[in-house]
Amino acid sequence: MRLSRYFLPVLKENPAEAQIVSHRLMLRAGMIKQQAAGIYSWLPLGFKVLRKIENIVHDEQIRAGHIPMQMPTLQPADLWRESGRYDAYGPEMLRMKDRHDRDMLFSPTAEEMFTDVFRAHVNSYKDLPLTIYQIQWKFRDEVRPRFGVMRGREFYMKDGYNFDLTKEDALHAYNRHLVSYLRTYERMGLQAIPMRADSGPIGGDDTHEFLVLAETGESEVFYDSQITDLTFGDRTINYDSREECQAVLEEFTSRYARTDETHDAAIFDQIPEERRRVARGIEVGQIFYFGTKYSEPMGATVTDAEGNKVPVHMGSHGIGVSRLLGAIIEANHDDKGIIWPEGVTPFHVGIVNLKQGDEAADAACEGLYADLEAAGFEPLYDDRNERAGGKFATMDLIGLPWRITVGPRGLANGVVELTSRRSGESVEMAPAEAVAKIKEIYAKHPHPKGA
RNA sequence: CGGGGCGUAGCGCAGCCUGGUAGCGCGACGGUUUUGGGUACCGUAGGCCGUAGGUUCGAAUCCUAUCGCCCCGACCA
């Protein structure tokens, strides 16, 4: 993309409405525009990152054997009356009537609808196990939306549902999700710690929340510092193996890590004092096992091998996709702007032409641009007729992790500059070498395919 | 939902107390000058002062109502 032809309305000053850093930076970097409390338009740059994150989620879900599909955002109230949640949900659910005076609602979550699809089409234990999921907009009419996309009323969320014959199968699904979530967050450059959590209104016996440590987090968290030493890394795992998934669950839940909802001071105090941590975290996902809570009242049953109709065991699992943008920025920024992890960056590399109109500089930039695109990358070429300082400031603000700086002085010596946004270090090299270096860097951070 | 604050140009703000017909910075646009970390200067455009009603000769300013937004707390992907 050439910046002169892109739509990137960056702001020099901080909008008054934004208090926390991720919200400020998203507005300044021209990623979002607020339309109402907790409701945002996604401008091109924000939309691009949202898509990257969404596609990583898809990649990892599909890798784990889960099947993508999509439910409507507007749903009839009847299904919700059947589950008993139409009355239970309260004013957080946005309700409306259609022209025939039928009660409708904007889906705040989709247990009912997935269960309905399941019962309509699945009848035999032979069709199990089954995990289906969607990434779809949800609406919860929060009392107090805040922090930009971190607590919007409208938000983009992956929600998945597993249907299994037995509790053991459902718990394997639970573990499989835990593993896939660990992979998902790490690919985005985040460390998200699974913490024992409270089940809340969704209900269920087993649940973990995934939290990203950040000062601006809304939850207070308590953990053993050893937990943050764990990484999933690039290990391979067989998602069908109960033992392997169970082992990962045990490894990543072997140290104390809880939110304030489930915190137990007596257990916490048994941890050696130097390892006890009290911090704040951003909740970016949650997994539940809830047995037959929905399948029984809604008649989601299968016929088992003995010919009996039995309710299926279910679980649900969520990842806050739009919230993740905020969480990633909270965890990756400095005073100049965003620093995108390679896995989610909207463009792989920025090209800064220090002297637009200079024959050699223009030609070198065009060459780099073409070579990078040919290699399968998306470069962002700042070809505007702006001063160097302005171009640098824009690049720093929007946070591309790598920048190639091209100017007449360097070109006189046959070199351009490759700069890391994170470290600020610059290395001079020939243009072809810079392209090779970018290839090398992104070999470790494949960009997602999506569903 | 309780408590606090704010709505004036695209963005950030001043003016309001002590009514007299709206201003600054950034940005945008046009020039000149610059060009390796937001250059300097000149000029231009842009506002029914959130909305409605009231008081007044006169309202951004005072009064009433209403809508919207932000922050703190209680609740939540």
Side-chain angles (χ1 to χ4, degrees):
Chain A
M1 180 59 64
R2 292 165 200 276
L3 194 43
S4 64
R5 297 186 196 171
Y6 200 42
F7 176 42
L8 183 69
V10 300
L11 303 174
K12 238 179 180 174
E13 287 169 288
N14 283 322
E17 73 207 44
Q19 295 299 315
I20 68 164
V21 65
S22 61
H23 190 197
R24 279 204 307 264
L25 288 173
M26 287 184 78
L27 290 165
R28 285 197 53 209
M31 298 175 68
I32 52 172
K33 179 185 185 311
Q34 181 168 347
Q35 300 295 7
I39 298 176
Y40 294 87
S41 292
W42 292 80
L43 306 183
L45 191 74
F47 182 63
K48 208 156 184 352
V49 179
L50 186 68
R51 282 283 176 262
K52 296 271 180 175
I53 292 172
E54 171 184 5
N55 286 338
I56 288 175
V57 174
H58 274 306
D59 278 11
E60 294 302 329
Q61 285 305 299
I62 291 166
R63 187 195 305 277
H66 307 155
I67 301 166
M69 55 180 289
Q70 186 129 69
M71 297 298 184
T73 53
L74 295 180
Q75 305 184 353
D78 291 351
L79 268 181
W80 290 71
R81 291 203 174 94
E82 199 178 333
S83 71
R85 289 209 293 181
Y86 189 68
D87 297 321
Y89 222 98
E92 213 171 81
M93 179 187 277
L94 179 64
R95 299 149 200 265
M96 63 201 95
K97 285 180 186 295
D98 69 8
R99 68 193 299 164
H100 299 295
D101 212 33
R102 286 183 289 236
D103 290 318
M104 307 288 289
L105 57 95
F106 197 112
S107 176
T109 175
E111 278 84 4
E112 281 78 0
M113 193 147 281
F114 272 90
T115 307
D116 182 63
V117 166
F118 177 87
R119 68 181 175 186
H121 298 292
V122 181
N123 301 300
S124 163
Y125 76 99
K126 292 175 187 168
D127 297 324
L128 304 185
L130 177 67
T131 296
I132 44 186
Y133 77 94
Q134 66 172 344
I135 299 180
Q136 177 63 295
W137 292 97
K138 307 288 191 300
F139 193 92
R140 293 184 194 172
D141 203 354
E142 297 274 348
V143 188
R144 190 187 158 206
R146 63 189 122 166
F147 302 151
V149 299
M150 298 248 277
R151 176 164 298 285
R153 290 192 291 172
E154 186 183 52
F155 58 98
Y156 204 43
M157 177 184 166
K158 172 261 171 181
D159 52 320
Y161 306 84
N162 66 282
F163 303 88
D164 288 281
L165 184 61
T166 65
K167 179 172 182 179
E168 291 67 40
D169 290 349
L171 289 177
H172 174 233
Y174 185 91
N175 297 346
R176 205 170 59 227
H177 279 86
L178 185 130
V179 176
S180 70
Y181 279 26
L182 289 171
R183 280 190 61 107
T184 300
Y185 296 121
E186 280 192 20
R187 248 183 103 173
M188 297 174 188
L190 284 177
Q191 178 170 46
I193 305 167
M195 298 196 181
R196 181 183 295 272
D198 196 52
S199 60
I202 292 176
D205 306 327
D206 283 288
T207 179
H208 280 90
E209 280 179 348
F210 290 76
L211 285 107
V212 173
L213 298 175
E215 286 169 24
T216 47
E218 291 191 86
S219 315
E220 188 168 30
V221 298
F222 303 81
Y223 63 96
D224 178 338
S225 65
Q226 287 187 339
I227 196 88
T228 54
D229 296 335
L230 297 172
T231 56
F232 190 83
D234 55 4
R235 61 179 101 170
T236 53
I237 186 157
N238 175 3
Y239 278 108
D240 290 332
S241 164
R242 289 174 190 234
E243 295 71 30
E244 286 185 31
C245 292
Q246 177 73 26
V248 172
L249 172 107
E250 282 170 12
E251 177 185 350
F252 280 83
T253 57
S254 63
R255 300 287 180 276
Y256 188 90
R258 295 192 184 186
T259 65
D260 49 4
E261 293 167 340
T262 54
H263 178 57
D264 186 329
I267 305 175
F268 188 60
D269 289 344
Q270 288 169 22
I271 302 165
E273 191 170 359
E274 68 278 8
R275 286 177 15 209
R276 276 180 232 155
R277 298 282 187 281
V278 180
R280 303 200 67 82
I282 301 166
E283 194 192 318
V284 293
Q286 188 161 9
I287 54 178
F288 299 89
Y289 163 73
F290 48 62
T292 58
K293 178 185 160 95
Y294 293 95
S295 55
E296 283 193 60
M298 296 192 65
T301 59
V302 292
T303 306
D304 69 13
E306 281 78 44
N308 306 310
K309 267 194 190 291
V310 294
V312 292
H313 286 258
M314 294 176 59
S316 79
H317 335 88
I319 292 180
V321 174
S322 47
R323 171 179 287 183
L324 273 166
L325 272 94
I328 290 169
I329 294 170
E330 289 293 329
N332 298 279
H333 69 272
D334 62 17
D335 54 353
K336 292 182 198 156
I338 302 166
I339 307 172
W340 292 115
E342 276 83 355
V344 300
T345 183
F347 295 95
H348 296 86
V349 56
I351 302 171
V352 169
N353 187 343
L354 292 173
K355 192 164 186 178
Q356 206 69 41
D358 178 90
E359 208 171 302
D362 289 0
C365 287
E366 292 294 341
L368 278 166
Y369 187 73
D371 290 349
L372 286 163
E373 284 209 318
F377 295 110
E378 291 183 281
L380 182 65
Y381 171 24
D382 191 345
D383 59 340
R384 297 171 305 161
N385 190 21
E386 293 287 329
R387 287 178 55 84
K391 292 190 176 186
F392 289 141
T394 299
M395 281 292 174
D396 288 346
L397 174 63
I398 67 172
L400 308 188
W402 297 94
R403 185 184 82 208
I404 301 174
T405 310
V406 180
R409 284 187 209 166
L411 288 175
N413 300 316
V415 297
V416 295
E417 232 174 64
L418 181 64
T419 305
S420 159
R421 174 68 180 86
R422 194 172 287 278
S423 70
E425 282 172 37
S426 286
V427 183
E428 292 192 336
M429 59 186 75
E433 206 181 322
V435 174
K437 187 77 187 165
I438 294 294
K439 281 185 196 168
E440 190 186 319
I441 289 162
Y442 282 101
K444 295 192 287 276
H445 302 281
H447 271 215
K449 292 195 295 283

